[in-house]
Structure formats: structure tokens, C-alpha cells
Amino acid sequence: MFRRKPIELITEETSGLQRSLGLWQLTAIGVGGIIGAGIFSLAGTVANEKAGPAVLLSFLIAGIASAAAAFSYAEFAGMIPKAGSAYTYGYAVLGEVVGWLIGWDLLLEYTAIAAVVAISISGYFNELLGFLGLDLPLWMMGAPGTENGAAPEGSYQINLFAALLCLFMAFVLNQGMKNAARFETMLVYLKVGVVLLIIVVGAFHINTGNWDPFLPYGVGGAFTGAATVFFAVFGYDAMSTAAEESKDAQKHMPKAIIYSLVIAMVLYVLACLVLTGMIPYQEISSESAFATAFTDVGLPALGAVIAVGAILGILTVMFTFMLGVTRVGYAMSRDGLLPRWFAKTHPVRKVPSRVTWVIGAASAVMAGLLPIGEAAELTNIGILLAFVVVCVAVIVLRYRRPDLPRGFKCPGMPVVPIIGIVFSLWLVTFLNPQTWLRFGLWFLIGLAIYALYGYRKSALNRPGDQG
């Protein structure tokens, strides 16, 4: 079970994917995955309830911790430029069963993230319809048991828009990576433009008195806020799954990981300064922080523009994570741990179309039938455990195979990866028991599938080839 896939074998594998992504397209995918609900929703929630103006410290603390893992991802991305990200890295360094469990875990986490984002966008869509005076049947407005899904008793209920959005994103990804990346890049430029508009216009309405007191909840509040916003400072991990579709992955992928995190952190910090400077932290809306802030200072029209930007921003997150989960599934299928049928690529577009449609359908079911709270609970634990595995693996491989050529080296070895490990494990303690129970059930299902199928069908399950 702990046989390792040789790195030399991984790098020499032929690929059915097309290398079409340049440095800035990769960076845009990373920025698209990082900047989303964090800046348009979490910033206001944390400022109002946990940290006050020190919300910018919360983002900085979370960013530093995330950077520790990002450096580890960057070293692997420059050394093993293949699809699969944490799954592939864990397989190569810590063994097949570890790689399988991380890959199996990411299949659930990334799919759930895509569903959560679709549900979130559906909420904005429902509000927009109400603003336009349009009424749709209640059975298609929300998942069973939710307020919007309060259809007459005995009738079907589904969040139809969220489900269709998942299928639409699968359609976009199936148009070929070059076309899909253009779609994502365009949305990212629009989103960054909206954030810059917030920063520039908001800077003229800052009252520095709103920053006093800076730490109303103490230093502990800033750290508690960091645990919340940490989930807004990753996304590069999903982007790294596209390494096999990069024109020069060994050179570009490490840069794209670092660039995307730096760009996102600069925008996060500046936006937090503007938000907490415009209005007192006690008055910041937890749901629509920036739109409400600009309305309060007499700019309601700009608030509407920001609402549209929020929708675009959240949509790019959905693209990045659905891209990530399809590439993890493709890599696992190519290795024989899942049926090889999923690893077949489209003969013209060179994308894993089969697994993409399967993931699109799975996320559509989750988005259509689960309330956002239940879907969101599935998104946290796997990402943190993937961070732990990658940080451990980069330390192990640095000492086991110091001779391997590395396009990028994680600085401060082994201190920086250890920071990533400790911070990720600390954040795991904030997860509720129900999340652990669901994860444990998914974990056991994964072990059963590996024992009954993956172990026997693995491409490494040949005499004399034990990794």
C-alpha cells in the first residue's frame, strides 16, 4: 500500500492533455480561486463579529500561514509538473494509500466547493429576480427545507439555477483549456477591476477615526478571525492541478502560485483598510459589506456595481475548483486507482470530458438538493489535510532525494513547511464533530474502494515495480 510512484516515471508519462496555459493565465486561475467570498463576504463578517479594524491582521496572519503551504506547493509544481496536485505529490513521496486518500478526499472537497459557490450565486440571482419583479415557482428556487425552497407540501423542491450553473461550468471546461482559460481570465480581470474600484473610490471616504480602537476584540480576535478567513486565502492548490496543461510548468507554475497569493493578499489588505475606514466596524454588514458601506456614504449606485462584481468574483472560484477536481479525478484514473474510462480525453479538445461531466452532474445534485450550510461543511477538512500532506512530503523528499532538479526551492527548510503543518492542524481543531463524522464516513468508503478496486488495478501493481 505504501509503494511510491517514481518521480521519473511521473515526469515521463505521456499526456492526453494539451499544454496551452501561459504564466498569466495560470496566475489568473489562481487569483480566480482565491479572491471570491473572502473579500465580498468574509471580510465584513470578521470585521463586525471577531476582529474589528484588525481584520486586515486576520488576513495577514492567514496569508502568512497559507504562504507556508504555497511555497511547498511551488516546489512540487516545479519538480513534478503533472495533473493531480496534492494527490500526485503524496503518491510520489508518501505512498499509494496516502495519495489515494488525499485524492479521494479532494474529490469530495472540491466538488462541494463548486456546489457551495453555485448555491451562493443562486442566492444573488433570486434577489435580482425579486428586484426586477419576477416571480418563479417556489419549487425551483431553493433546496428542500430552505426558505427559498418552501414549495407546497408534496411537491418537488430543487435549487434549479444552482444545479444548471454547475452543468454550465462543466460545459465551459469541456470547450478546451484554451477557451475555458480565456473565459476565466476575462472574469478575473473584471473582478480585479471591481476590487480596485472599491479601493480607489473608498479611499476618498475613509475616516481614520473608525480605526480606533484598532483591536476592539484584542489580539485573540485577530487570530480567531484568521481561522475564519484562512478559507479565503487558498485556491492556488486547485490551480496547481493544471500543471500538465501549462506551456512551461516547471518555470511558470511556481511563479503563478506565488504571484496569485501575493496579488490576492495585497488586494485583501487594501480592501479591508477601506472597508473599516469608511464606516465603524459595528455597522459593517455581514452579508454585503462593501455594497452596504458605499450605500451608507451616499453611493448606492456603486453598491449595485459591487454586487455584480461579487457574482463574477464568486463564479471564478467555481471555475478554479471544478477545474481542480476534474484534474484530480483524471490523474487518479490514469494511475488505475479509479476506472481508466474516466481518464479518456476528448480527441479534439484534449480535456478529460468524461470525468468533467460526471463531476458537473455530482456538483449539480449537491447544489440542487443540499442547503448551503450542509454543503459548506464538506469543504474544509480535506483542504487542510492536503496542506499537511504536501508540507510533510516536501520535507521528506528534500532529505530523501536532494539530487532531484527543482525549478523552485521552498525557503527556510524545514521551518516554513512546519509552520504550514502546525497552522493547518490548529485550524482543524475548529471543525465541528459532525464534519469529522462525515469525513470519517467518506474516508471509510474510500478505503473500501481502494481495497476492492484501486489496490489491484493500480498501474504499479506489477511484479518488480514497487515504486
Side-chain angles (χ1 to χ4, degrees):
M1 292 193 301
F2 291 95
R3 57 195 170 194
R4 301 188 303 273
K5 189 174 183 180
I7 293 176
E8 291 79 7
L9 176 63
I10 296 175
T11 55
E12 292 173 2
E13 281 178 329
T14 56
S15 174
L17 304 176
Q18 184 177 20
R19 294 192 178 275
S20 58
L21 299 176
L23 173 60
W24 294 111
Q25 286 177 309
L26 288 169
T27 303
I29 293 174
V31 172
I34 298 172
I35 298 180
I39 201 166
F40 294 110
S41 179
L42 282 181
T45 300
V46 172
N48 181 273
E49 301 173 3
K50 295 180 173 67
V55 62
L56 73 90
L57 292 183
S58 297
F59 274 101
L60 285 173
I61 293 166
I64 291 170
S66 184
F71 285 132
S72 299
Y73 271 91
E75 177 164 327
F76 272 119
M79 185 169 45
I80 309 176
K82 288 292 181 178
S85 187
Y87 154 74
T88 300
Y89 309 152
Y91 195 171
V93 181
L94 301 178
E96 185 172 271
V97 70
V98 175
W100 160 264
L101 289 174
I102 289 299
W104 179 250
D105 191 35
L106 291 179
L107 289 179
L108 175 65
E109 310 301 329
Y110 286 176
T111 303
I113 289 175
V116 167
V117 171
I119 296 169
S120 178
I121 295 174
S122 176
Y124 282 104
F125 178 72
N126 290 337
E127 290 182 11
L128 179 61
L129 290 178
F131 177 77
L132 297 175
L134 300 176
D135 293 319
L136 294 178
L138 286 175
W139 66 265
M140 66 169 63
M141 296 289 285
T146 62
E147 182 179 352
N148 287 331
E153 186 176 353
S155 64
Y156 293 105
Q157 298 177 25
I158 185 173
N159 192 331
L160 185 61
F161 180 81
L164 292 177
L165 188 58
C166 291
L167 295 176
F168 169 73
M169 195 56 65
F171 169 78
V172 170
L173 286 169
N174 267 311
Q175 299 313 298
M177 180 50 71
K178 183 178 292 187
N179 292 329
R182 286 173 181 166
F183 172 81
E184 168 81 343
T185 302
M186 177 188 69
L187 291 182
V188 169
Y189 285 156
L190 289 173
K191 173 172 63 174
V192 172
V194 170
V195 175
L196 290 175
L197 179 66
I198 289 172
I199 294 169
V200 172
V201 177
F204 291 98
H205 296 273
I206 289 177
N207 176 1
T208 56
N210 291 329
W211 291 333
D212 185 22
F214 186 72
L215 289 163
Y217 299 95
V219 176
F223 276 93
T224 302
T228 302
V229 303
F230 184 80
F231 304 109
V233 293
F234 62 79
Y236 53 80
D237 55 313
M239 178 266 286
S240 68
T241 64
E244 213 162 316
E245 290 154 285
S246 170
K247 294 177 182 177
D248 189 354
Q250 289 180 311
K251 180 180 179 181
H252 291 163
M253 188 60 70
K255 291 181 179 179
I257 290 173
I258 304 303
Y259 289 172
S260 61
L261 183 58
V262 169
I263 291 171
M265 290 308 304
V266 169
L267 294 177
Y268 274 144
V269 170
L270 292 177
C272 286
L273 279 172
V274 167
L275 176 64
T276 55
M278 288 177 66
I279 57 177
Y281 72 90
Q282 304 95 325
E283 300 176 13
I284 295 175
S285 169
S286 298
E287 297 179 356
S288 54
F290 287 99
T292 303
F294 279 100
T295 299
D296 288 349
V297 297
L299 297 172
L302 189 56
V305 172
I306 292 169
V308 174
I311 294 175
L312 295 177
I314 297 173
L315 188 61
T316 62
V317 177
M318 185 177 181
F319 176 96
T320 298
F321 282 97
M322 191 171 285
L323 169 68
V325 68
T326 57
R327 272 43 181 184
V328 171
Y330 167 79
M332 295 175 72
S333 300
R334 183 173 59 185
D335 291 338
L337 302 183
L338 289 174
R340 293 183 181 273
W341 181 87
F342 293 112
K344 296 291 184 181
T345 56
H346 192 280
V348 177
R349 301 189 184 103
K350 304 299 182 182
V351 292
S353 54
R354 292 176 177 178
V355 71
T356 300
W357 281 119
V358 169
I359 293 297
S363 60
V365 170
M366 294 176 67
L369 301 179
L370 290 180
I372 190 169
E374 293 186 17
E377 288 175 358
L378 300 174
T379 66
N380 299 335
I381 189 169
I383 305 299
L384 292 171
L385 293 180
F387 279 14
V388 171
V389 166
V390 172
C391 290
V392 169
V394 79
I395 296 172
V396 172
L397 194 62
R398 182 71 73 88
Y399 291 100
R400 181 189 291 161
R401 294 291 305 275
D403 58 303
L404 287 173
R406 290 167 168 82
F408 174 88
K409 283 190 175 183
C410 176
M413 182 66 68
V415 175
V416 168
I418 289 175
I419 291 174
I421 295 168
V422 171
F423 203 92
S424 297
L425 292 176
W426 174 63
L427 289 174
V428 166
T429 64
F430 285 86
L431 303 178
N432 61 55
Q434 191 176 32
T435 301
W436 278 99
L437 181 62
R438 291 176 177 177
F439 171 74
L441 179 60
W442 183 253
F443 189 89
L444 291 175
I445 293 173
L447 280 177
I449 293 175
Y450 175 72
L452 297 174
Y453 182 90
Y455 178 77
R456 295 184 296 106
K457 296 292 186 177
S458 170
L460 295 186
N461 195 22
R462 294 191 294 266
D465 187 0
Q466 296 301 310

